[in-house]
């Protein structure tokens, strides 16, 4: 007999008929000999209706009162579903987040779960009842017992957190699509269903597949080894398993706010090749990395900074043994990348740097926590380590530094993030847990699992930032103080000496709603901190490919860049991690970029998926 947590979203419980259908599914699961906890969202568009009511009363409603209001939506659903189960003869009890023991931070509208008191929950399960829980909500740990809500995706988060706390056999997320798809089916109708994906891949594809799974839920599943499956509420298809590495025993106290970084990694066998002043036009990256791929040169990090005039810088790292080949390719192709539009940049310059190291922090907990990257940069600055390159993803921040500073950097980061030497967190490789077998080693996955598009980002570029330890720490520390999360971070390779001070540009992306406030704040301190103009561009899109199988495959980046070049889509920025390549393009070309890349990697299936209204 298995202990299962099931979660049903708003469309799955959007009417009395749908609630009764859910009750039938739950009843069958119990009849098969399983114990069940069911987490539900508010019915259909109930939450939207409540928000509309609040906005009719106040243009800026109090966040505490909004939590009181919005938490009522789930209470309607849990009562109705419990009644439907009781009509089928199945003992059931409805419980709010507070009643079930979900204790959160005292932070209205975006609380994180601290721990779950499972005593009452376990008692009802042992009595043979289905416990129907209101998702999206909890109660603060302070004595006031304030009702709190968890923010977007809160019901997913509730379900996986309860599964972790109960050590459930697995957690099922029921939604309006049949599982995790290779991309958003609203943009590519032939998006293909995946049978399995790793937690790390899923975290990187946070905006994939009609947003069927929130990153916070995946983070908990990854950290606690909760086997997770995403299924359709309308069919009996097997869905998509989101697999986790075998967990290292984590405390269930401070469940969502435990340390955000669980590994410090380094690689001293690295060298950097940079091409400065390449033309800013479609096809340049495709041509460069196409030739690199043909020469079988395996590239690690790739960054392309924000353009300056009519040109860009592209830099990449390789392992030391293949540096000569990489340098030869770059030197041979540089003359062919002459800028026709500006004679001043008559030829791309190749710059090679030996004796560098890549130092990274990794962990699912850094998503949505603006202070993590800032803490890394501050730690390196305090250790006197200058950052030469920065590349970021949802679960990793990597910095290129001088090789002779690597040991100092690693020691400082391990101390700052409380990581023991040799300690590693859950990852995307190794042994994976599913409910069907205790250990399952997956077959070799395709290099690219999915393509994601984010149309809600803005890019900020700061010109002429002094190139010395501590500047990145100050910049991203300021953003963290204002609770602004940063996504991609790119530091240009071109360096200018102005008034005796070496300077570089740095660019990064933030949520579009934070763009104007971030620009205003950074402009106010520009003179004091010695940097130049702050430039905001809100008309951008980020398109990404993700796949654990792309490691060690030189042609993947080239194929992505070529797909964009064939559609005359210019790449404005590039950032990579081991399992992700992201490009910033013009906003109006975002959907076309996604469709071109999805087609290039032949990810389409024969079946068309339609997302129910």
């Amino acid at each position: 007999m298995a202990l299962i947590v099931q979660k049903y979203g708003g469309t799955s419980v959007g009417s009395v008929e749908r609630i009764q259908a859910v009750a039938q599914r739950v009843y069958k699961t119990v009849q098969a000999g399983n114990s069940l906890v069911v987490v539900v969202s508010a019915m259909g568009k109930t939450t939207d209706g409540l928000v509309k009511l609040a906005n009719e009363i106040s243009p800026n409603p109090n966040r505490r009162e909004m939590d009181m209001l919005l938490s009522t939506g789930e209470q309607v659903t849990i009562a109705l579903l419990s009644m439907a189960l009781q009509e089928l003869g199945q003992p059931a009890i409805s419980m709010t987040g507070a009643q079930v023991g979900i204790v959160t931070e005292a932070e209205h509208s975006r609380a994180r779960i601290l721990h779950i008191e499972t005593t009452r929950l376990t008692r009802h399960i042992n009595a043979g009842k289905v416990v129907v829980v209101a998702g999206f909500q909890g109660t603060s740990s302070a004595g006031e017992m304030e009702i709190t809500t968890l923010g977007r995706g809160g019901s997913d988060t509730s379900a996986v957190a309860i599964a972790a706390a109960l050590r459930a056999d697995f957690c099922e997320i029921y939604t309006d699509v049949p599982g995790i798809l290779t991309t958003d089916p609203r943009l590519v109708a032939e998006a293909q269903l995946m049978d399995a994906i790793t937690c790390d891949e899923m975290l990187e594809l946070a905006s994939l597949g009609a947003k069927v799974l929130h990153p916070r839920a995946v983070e908990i599943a990854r950290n606690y080894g909760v086997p997770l499956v995403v299924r359709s509420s309308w069919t009996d298809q097997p869905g998509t398993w989101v697999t986790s590495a075998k967990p290292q025993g984590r405390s269930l106290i401070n469940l969502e706010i435990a340390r955000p970084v669980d590994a410090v990694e380094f690689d001293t066998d690295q060298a950097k090749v940079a091409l400065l002043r390449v033309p800013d036009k479609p096809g340049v990256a495709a041509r460069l990395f196409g030739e690199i791929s043909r020469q079988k040169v395996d590239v690690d990090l790739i960054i392309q900074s924000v353009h300056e005039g009519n040109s860009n810088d592209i830099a990449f790292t390789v392992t030391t043994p293949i540096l000569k080949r990489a340098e030869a390719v770059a030197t041979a192709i540089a003359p062919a990348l002459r800028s026709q539009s500006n004679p001043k940049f008559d030829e791309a310059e190749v710059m090679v740097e030996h004796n560098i190291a890549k130092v990274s922090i990794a962990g699912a907990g850094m998503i949505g926590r603006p202070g993590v990257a800032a803490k890394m940069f501050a730690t390196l600055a305090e250790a006197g380590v200058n950052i030469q390159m920065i590349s970021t993803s949802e679960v990793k921040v990597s910095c290129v530094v001088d090789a002779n500073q690597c040991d100092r950097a690693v020691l400082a980061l391990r101390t700052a993030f409380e990581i023991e030497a040799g300690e590693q967190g859950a990852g995307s490789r190794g042994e994976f847990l599913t409910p069907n077998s205790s250990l399952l080693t997956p077959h070799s996955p395709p290099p690219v699992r999915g393509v994601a598009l984010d149309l809600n980002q803005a890019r900020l570029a700061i010109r002429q930032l002094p190139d010395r330890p501590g500047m990145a720490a100050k910049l991203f520390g300021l953003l963290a103080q204002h609770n602004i999360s940063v996504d991609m971070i790119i530091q240009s390779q071109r360096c200018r000496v102005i008034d005796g001070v070496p300077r570089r540009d740095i660019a990064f992306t933030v949520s579009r709603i934070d763009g104007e406030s971030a620009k205003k704040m950074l402009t106010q301190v520009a003179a004091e901190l010695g940097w130049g103009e702050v430039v905001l561009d809100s008309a951008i899109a980020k398109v990404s490919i993700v796949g654990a199988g792309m490691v060690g495959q030189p042609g993947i980046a080239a194929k992505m860049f070529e797909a964009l070049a064939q559609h005359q889509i210019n790449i404005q920025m590039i950032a990579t991690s081991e399992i992700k390549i992201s490009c910033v393009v013009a906003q109006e070309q975002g959907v076309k970029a996604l469709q071109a890349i999805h087609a290039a990697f032949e990810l389409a299936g024969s079946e068309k998926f339609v997302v129910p209204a």
Side-chain angles (χ1 to χ4, degrees):
M1 183 176 78
L3 173 57
I4 303 169
V5 177
Q6 293 183 342
K7 178 262 176 178
Y8 294 90
T11 53
S12 303
V13 290
S15 66
V16 167
E17 293 74 23
R18 289 183 177 181
I19 287 173
Q20 289 171 328
V22 166
Q24 288 285 353
R25 188 185 288 269
V26 170
Y27 182 66
K28 284 180 188 174
T29 307
V30 176
Q31 290 299 299
N34 301 297
S35 298
L36 218 57
V37 175
V38 181
V39 178
V40 292
S41 300
M43 293 175 65
K45 303 289 185 181
T46 298
T47 301
D48 293 342
L50 293 172
V51 170
K52 185 172 181 290
L53 284 173
N55 289 334
E56 288 174 4
I57 296 290
S58 167
N60 187 25
N62 178 277
R63 281 168 52 194
R64 178 191 183 277
E65 302 310 328
M66 282 300 291
D67 278 2
M68 290 291 284
L69 177 67
L70 297 182
S71 63
T72 64
E74 280 73 19
Q75 290 184 49
V76 172
T77 318
I78 59 174
L80 292 174
L81 180 54
S82 294
M83 292 175 193
L85 286 166
Q86 290 162 7
E87 284 298 305
L88 294 173
Q90 171 58 50
I93 184 169
S94 62
M95 298 178 76
T96 66
Q99 289 172 322
V100 89
I102 297 176
V103 179
T104 74
E105 302 169 300
E107 186 72 48
H108 289 293
S109 79
R110 53 171 182 252
R112 289 182 181 266
I113 297 172
L114 299 178
H115 63 278
I116 301 176
E117 303 280 0
T118 58
T119 307
R120 189 176 179 187
L121 191 55
T122 304
R123 188 170 71 246
H124 288 303
I125 294 169
N126 291 340
K129 295 177 186 174
V130 171
V131 184
V132 184
V133 179
F136 176 66
Q137 62 181 249
T139 183
S140 68
S141 58
E144 290 84 359
M145 293 287 289
E146 289 287 304
I147 291 175
T148 55
T149 62
L150 308 181
R152 191 172 69 83
S155 292
D156 287 352
T157 306
S158 301
V160 183
I162 288 170
L166 289 173
R167 293 181 169 81
D169 292 276
F170 56 96
C171 180
E172 298 176 316
I173 305 289
Y174 284 94
T175 183
D176 47 17
V177 289
I180 309 296
L181 304 173
T182 51
T183 196
D184 189 332
R186 294 168 297 191
L187 302 178
V188 180
E190 298 81 10
Q192 193 171 352
L193 181 67
M194 301 182 218
D195 57 1
I197 186 171
T198 68
C199 275
D200 277 6
E201 289 173 320
M202 192 64 236
L203 283 166
E204 298 282 20
L205 287 169
S207 57
L208 175 71
K211 297 178 175 62
V212 295
L213 204 51
H214 195 272
R216 280 171 65 185
V218 184
E219 175 190 345
I220 297 168
R222 178 188 189 269
N223 287 341
Y224 292 93
V226 177
L228 195 58
V229 62
V230 179
R231 290 186 171 136
S232 169
S233 298
W234 325 115
T235 71
D236 291 322
Q237 290 181 342
T240 305
W241 285 99
V242 183
T243 56
S244 305
K246 191 174 182 179
Q248 297 180 338
R250 268 183 180 256
S251 170
L252 288 162
I253 303 299
N254 291 333
L255 193 143
E256 274 203 280
I257 63 167
R259 64 184 191 194
V261 172
D262 54 25
V264 174
E265 303 166 359
F266 65 95
D267 183 356
T268 55
D269 189 26
Q270 295 247 320
K272 179 176 71 176
V273 179
L275 278 86
L276 309 186
R277 297 184 297 278
V278 299
D280 181 37
K281 63 183 183 182
V284 171
R287 192 167 180 183
L288 171 62
F289 288 98
E291 187 58 35
I292 285 171
S293 170
R294 282 188 285 278
Q295 298 301 322
K296 305 293 186 209
V297 174
D298 189 17
V299 171
D300 185 3
L301 296 180
I302 303 172
I303 68 161
Q304 177 182 307
S305 61
V306 65
H307 69 89
E308 183 175 343
N310 296 316
S311 69
N312 252 323
D313 303 336
I314 300 178
F316 56 92
T317 62
V318 295
T319 57
T320 305
I322 60 171
L323 174 61
K324 280 190 166 39
R325 253 193 300 158
E327 184 179 358
V329 172
T331 303
I333 203 169
L337 298 179
R338 286 191 179 95
S339 173
Q340 304 301 317
S341 55
N342 193 335
K344 191 168 66 173
F345 303 130
D346 66 337
E347 188 173 313
E349 176 189 349
V350 179
M351 185 174 70
V352 177
E353 190 156 350
H354 305 259
N355 302 318
I356 63 166
K358 181 179 73 171
V359 180
S360 308
I361 58 171
M366 62 179 68
I367 295 173
R369 299 189 201 185
V372 177
K375 184 175 179 178
M376 179 186 192
F377 303 150
T379 300
L380 294 176
E382 287 164 12
V385 176
N386 196 38
I387 300 168
Q388 300 180 21
M389 287 172 71
I390 300 169
S391 189
T392 60
S393 76
E394 271 75 357
V395 295
K396 184 172 283 193
V397 181
S398 297
C399 295
V400 170
V401 302
D402 282 338
N404 60 10
Q405 296 181 325
C406 180
D407 288 348
R408 197 190 326 158
V410 170
L411 181 61
L413 290 171
R414 282 180 176 156
T415 301
F417 290 103
E418 300 177 8
I419 306 294
E420 297 292 330
E423 185 176 358
Q424 295 296 326
S428 62
R429 303 179 189 90
E431 298 172 329
F432 295 95
L433 301 180
T434 74
N436 301 319
S437 64
S438 57
L439 290 175
L440 172 66
T441 303
H443 56 274
S444 296
V448 175
R449 306 304 309 280
V451 187
L453 176 66
D454 190 342
L455 292 167
N456 296 308
Q457 295 210 337
R459 179 183 61 221
L460 285 143
I462 299 181
R463 302 295 187 183
Q464 300 174 11
L465 197 79
D467 184 27
R468 57 174 178 253
M471 290 311 298
K474 284 180 182 175
L475 167 59
F476 294 104
L478 280 169
L479 293 167
Q481 287 169 25
H482 289 77
N483 204 34
I484 295 173
S485 290
V486 176
D487 186 10
M488 294 173 70
I489 303 172
I490 305 293
Q491 183 171 277
S492 74
Q493 294 305 294
R494 209 176 309 184
C495 188
R496 283 194 176 80
V497 178
I498 301 174
D499 298 329
V501 178
R503 296 174 180 273
R504 298 181 193 272
D505 296 343
I506 195 164
F508 53 92
T509 60
V510 298
S511 174
R512 188 172 298 155
I513 60 171
D514 291 327
E516 288 290 350
S517 59
K519 179 187 177 183
K520 182 178 178 182
M521 181 266 293
L522 294 173
T523 302
Q524 287 171 347
V525 299
E528 177 191 342
L529 294 175
W531 59 56
E533 183 185 11
V534 180
V535 182
L536 172 66
D537 185 356
S538 296
I540 64 163
K542 182 182 79 169
V543 62
S544 308
I545 59 172
V546 170
M550 70 172 67
V551 177
Q553 301 222 23
I556 301 303
K559 193 170 186 176
M560 179 184 189
F561 302 153
E562 179 60 33
L564 295 174
Q566 285 176 0
H567 289 77
Q568 289 299 300
I569 297 171
N570 193 37
I571 300 171
Q572 300 180 16
M573 289 169 68
I574 301 169
T576 66
S577 72
E578 282 86 345
I579 65 171
K580 182 177 181 179
I581 303 171
S582 294
C583 295
V584 167
V585 300
Q587 184 182 26
E588 69 269 14
Q589 293 183 309
V591 172
K592 183 165 72 167
L594 176 139
Q595 292 168 340
I597 294 166
H598 195 269
F601 286 100
E602 301 177 353
L603 296 176
S606 56
E607 186 180 351
K608 290 190 176 183
F609 293 107
V610 179
V611 180

